[in-house]
Structure formats: structure tokens, C-alpha cells
């Protein structure tokens, strides 16, 4: 693997899931692969899981890790030919080349603005680093994609499924703030690679990008969608058509024990209790969110392993 910007950088999804599950059983079996190799992680935004699990994954492979909270560094410029007489102090052209001298792999988290759809869709932060860096780039959640989370979710479903083709439902939930589409986008894209019966449910006005959803069934009746589900993945996202707007905070869309039925409850975390999902779900045996978060390590580890193997 040359880099991991989106899930289509995975050549064989079932095989990488299998390999991640093997790494989970023997996490230190490739400890020498990352000797004298450094992962630099750049955070433009907050993180708990991605930050710690990716660092753990890199260390399991014997890598050194350096972390930069980019808001503590210089404000970066991304436009070509700009007169930099305002707030930006350093161009990404220099920054990416400089960091490449300290790193063998660069991992980046950079959320969208949720105000300029076309600019967010251009993925200018991660794509600028990809263009100017001389080392592989890993996406730790960009404007429109969270491929490490999606790989985690696929690993979790593969481990826990009790039938060959489980019914998986992605259900929108209310949230007080406008959130990105990255997790939902990557989850849908990843589920299309697995042998699952996928459907999506959300209120009117919350359609995801049609280029991603394509022919996946979409329901505006949440109860109809949830019938006989094996896995229910709950996530808020802001409107995509009225870009970045919160059109509904309807509490009737919160996930409850009654609505969940016998399904496993999935969420990428962090989650707002009794807003997105009620306590009774999160505190039940049906919730697999802690197992999901554990699998973040092995998703990151299998991706870093593939990239390190390609560096040799
Ligand atoms: N799921 C996830 O990416 O968690 P963090 O934002 O805490 O990294």
C-alpha cells in the first residue's frame, strides 16, 4: 500500500480484515518492521481514539512517533501564488517537505469547514500534503472520509456477525452541533465492499452524497429500516444538500433499546448520551462501542504494516 487516503486504497478488503484480526491475536509479531522508522501525526482537530490507537499501532510495529497539534505551529497557506500578507505564515509546500525529512509516514487529521462544500470536497489539506510530501500519507479523518474508522467497523462486524450476510443499518441521530459526513461516507463505502445487507435511515434533508450512496436503500421511516437489523450504526451528520446546516434535532430519532431490538449497537465515539443514544443501549451487552474502539489499533496497525512493507 503506497498511502491510505480512502478505502479504495485497499486492494483486497476481506484479506486486510483477516490480517487485522491476526495482528490483534499477535500484536508484536512485526515489531522489527518499524525499527528506525518514524510516524509523524498532525492534528488540526481534537481526537482521543485516533490519536492513541494510531500511536499504539505504530509502537506495536516498533516505530517512533512524533505528534504535532498543528494549531500550536504556524498557520498554513494552501493556495498557490498567494501574497501571504494576512494570517498564514508558512506554505504547505515547505511544511510538507520539511516534515517529510523527519518522518517515514505522515498521518493527518483535518476536519471540514462545513461552510464551503466544494472546498471541503477538494480535500485540500490532505491532498496538498500528498502532493508536496515525499513520504506516504495516512488519513486520520479528512473533510469527507474517515477510512481508519471504516476499516475498524468492518473488522468489528466481521468478528461479531452471526450470519453470512448480516443486515446492517446506518441510522442518523440528533446532535446539538453540525457534524461532518466523513464517518457516514466511509462507513457506507466500506459496507459496499462487504457481504452485508445495507440500508440507511435519516430524516428528509439529510441525504448523503448520492455518488457514495448510489443504489443503497434509504428510508425516512426509522422503525421500518431497523426491522430485523443485526447491526445498527448510529451517527449524526449535518445536511449535505443545505451544506453544514442542522435541519433537525428531533429527539424521536435518538436510538433506544426498544428501537434497537436484538441488534448490536455501533458508534464511532465520542457519543452524546441521551441525545444520540439512550443510556440503556450504551450500558447494555448489545453495545459494541468499546470493542470497536479497541479495533482502531488493529485497523491502524494493518494499514501502517502495509505501508512499511511497501517502503522496503
Ligand atoms: N472515532 C474517532 O475518530 O474518535 P476520535 O475523534 O476521538 O479520534
Amino acid at each position: 500500500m503506497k498511502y491510505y487516503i480512502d478505502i479504495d486504497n485497499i486492494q483486497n478488503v476481506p484479506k486486510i480484515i483477516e490480517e487485522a484480526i491476526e495482528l490483534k491475536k499477535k500484536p508484536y509479531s512485526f515489531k522489527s518492521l518499524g525499527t528506525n522508522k518514524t510516524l509523524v501525526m498532525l492534528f488540526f482537530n481534537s481526537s482521543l481514539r485516533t490519536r492513541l490507537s494510531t500511536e499504539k499501532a505504530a509502537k506495536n510495529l516498533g516505530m517512533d512517533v512524533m505528534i504535532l497539534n498543528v494549531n500550536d505551529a504556524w498557520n498554513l497557506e494552501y493556495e498557490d501564488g498567494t501574497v501571504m500578507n494576512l494570517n498564514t505564515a508558512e506554505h504547505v509546500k515547505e511544511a510538507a517537505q520539511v516534515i517529510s525529512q523527519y518522518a517515514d509516514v505522515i498521518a493527518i487529521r483535518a476536519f471540514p469547514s462545513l461552510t464551503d462544500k466544494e472546498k471541503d470536497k477538494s480535500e485540500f489539506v490532505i491532498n496538498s500534503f500528498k502532493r508536496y510530501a515525499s513520504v506516504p500519507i495516512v488519513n486520520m479523518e479528512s473533510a469527507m472520509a474517515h477510512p481508519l474508522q471504516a476499516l475498524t467497523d468492518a473488522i468489528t462486524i466481521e468478528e461479531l456477525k452471526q450470519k453470512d450476510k448480516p443486515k446492517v443499518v446506518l441510522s442518523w441521530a440528533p446532535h446539538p452541533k453540525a457534524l461532518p459526513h466523513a464517518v457516514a461516507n466511509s462507513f457506507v463505502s466500506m459496507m459496499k465492499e462487504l457481504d452485508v445487507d445495507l440500508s440507511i435511515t435519516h430524516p428528509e434533508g439529510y441525504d448523503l452524497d448520492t455518488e457514495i450512496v448510489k443504489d443503497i436503500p434509504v428510508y425516512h421511516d426509522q422503525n421500518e429500516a431497523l426491522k430485523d437489523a443485526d447491526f445498527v450504526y448510529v451517527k449524526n451528520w449535518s445536511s449535505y444538500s443545505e451544506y453544514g446546516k442542522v435541519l433537525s434535532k428531533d429527539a424521536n430519532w435518538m436510538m433506544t433499546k426498544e428501537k434497537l431490538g436484538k441488534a448490536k449497537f455501533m458508534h464511532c465515539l465520542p457519543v452524546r448520551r441521551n441525545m444520540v443514544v439512550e443510556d440503556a443501549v450504551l450500558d447494555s451487552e448489545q453495545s459494541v462501542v468499546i470493542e470497536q474502539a479497541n479495533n482502531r489499533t488493529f485497523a491502524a496497525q494493518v494499514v501502517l504494516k502495509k505501508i512499511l512493507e511497501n517502503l522496503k
Side-chain angles (χ1 to χ4, degrees):
M1 187 187 279
K2 282 193 189 150
Y3 44 79
Y4 191 52
I5 306 283
D6 213 339
I7 65 164
D8 56 14
N9 300 135
I10 300 175
Q11 277 182 348
N12 184 330
V13 170
K15 201 160 178 297
I16 204 167
I17 294 171
E18 201 181 302
E19 205 172 324
I21 293 171
E22 282 309 306
L23 281 174
K24 190 174 177 179
K25 289 179 199 153
K26 292 183 182 168
Y28 309 114
S29 45
F30 295 90
K31 189 84 187 172
S32 59
L33 190 61
T35 306
N36 298 330
K37 298 275 188 280
T38 300
L39 171 68
V40 169
M41 297 202 281
L42 305 179
F43 284 93
F44 290 78
N45 308 96
S46 307
S47 169
L48 187 157
R49 278 144 291 274
T50 305
R51 183 171 178 149
L52 295 178
S53 64
T54 309
E55 179 168 355
K56 187 170 166 60
K59 287 181 171 170
N60 285 353
L61 293 167
M63 297 182 85
D64 290 322
V65 178
M66 295 196 289
I67 299 174
L68 179 66
N69 295 319
V70 182
N71 293 336
D72 295 338
W74 306 109
N75 249 359
L76 291 181
E77 177 62 53
Y78 296 91
E79 296 288 333
D80 268 342
T82 319
V83 177
M84 287 169 55
N85 59 353
L86 293 173
N87 294 331
T88 53
E90 177 158 18
H91 203 282
V92 67
K93 280 186 191 179
E94 281 78 49
Q97 291 179 76
V98 168
I99 296 166
S100 298
Q101 298 177 118
Y102 312 143
D104 296 281
V105 182
I106 302 174
I108 300 169
R109 164 162 286 199
F111 289 171
S113 64
L114 290 179
T115 55
D116 185 335
K117 187 177 189 172
E118 290 315 310
K119 200 167 175 199
D120 287 346
K121 275 186 82 172
S122 78
E123 297 279 21
F124 66 95
V125 176
I126 203 151
N127 282 333
S128 298
F129 273 94
K130 182 167 169 257
R131 182 168 172 199
Y132 297 116
S134 55
V135 299
I137 302 293
V138 172
N139 184 347
M140 295 195 297
E141 188 171 348
S142 62
M144 296 291 170
H146 196 353
L148 284 174
Q149 182 65 52
L151 181 54
T152 299
D153 301 332
I155 294 165
T156 309
I157 288 173
E158 190 56 38
E159 284 182 319
L160 297 176
K161 71 180 187 186
Q162 304 212 323
K163 55 174 80 150
D164 287 344
K165 188 169 183 170
K167 177 173 173 178
V168 177
V169 182
L170 172 63
S171 181
W172 181 92
H175 196 282
K177 294 171 75 175
L179 295 190
H181 307 88
V183 170
N185 286 345
S186 291
F187 183 74
V188 171
S189 301
M190 180 58 88
M191 288 305 109
K192 286 200 255 176
E193 298 291 322
L194 303 187
D195 190 17
V196 300
D197 171 13
L198 176 66
S199 51
I200 306 172
T201 180
H202 58 70
E204 304 262 4
Y206 278 94
D207 295 271
L208 292 164
D209 185 347
T210 50
E211 284 171 34
I212 294 172
V213 173
K214 290 200 169 129
D215 55 357
I216 301 296
V218 174
Y219 297 84
H220 294 138
D221 180 336
Q222 191 187 31
N223 287 317
E224 190 188 348
L226 293 174
K227 204 165 169 285
D228 299 325
D230 298 298
F231 293 91
V232 176
Y233 198 102
V234 173
K235 183 73 186 84
N236 171 270
W237 58 89
S238 53
S239 176
Y240 187 68
S241 52
E242 293 186 52
Y243 190 61
K245 291 216 168 84
V246 175
L247 305 179
S248 169
K249 293 181 189 172
D250 185 354
N252 289 317
W253 279 81
M254 179 179 75
M255 188 51 54
T256 63
K257 198 104 196 290
E258 191 185 347
K259 283 194 239 175
L260 187 64
K262 293 190 167 128
K264 300 276 187 208
F265 171 79
M266 298 182 75
H267 191 284
C268 60
L269 301 180
V271 69
R272 289 184 184 239
R273 282 177 171 254
N274 304 310
M275 176 87 203
V276 170
V277 52
E278 68 175 2
D279 283 341
V281 172
L282 276 173
D283 296 333
S284 77
E285 296 282 313
Q286 285 167 258
S287 171
V288 299
V289 297
I290 306 300
E291 284 144 277
Q292 258 177 286
N294 187 35
N295 282 335
R296 288 297 307 270
T297 299
F298 307 104
Q301 193 167 334
V302 77
V303 165
L304 290 172
K305 177 175 175 283
K306 293 272 177 218
I307 289 173
L308 289 172
E309 284 168 347
N310 192 59
L311 286 180
K312 279 177 152 185

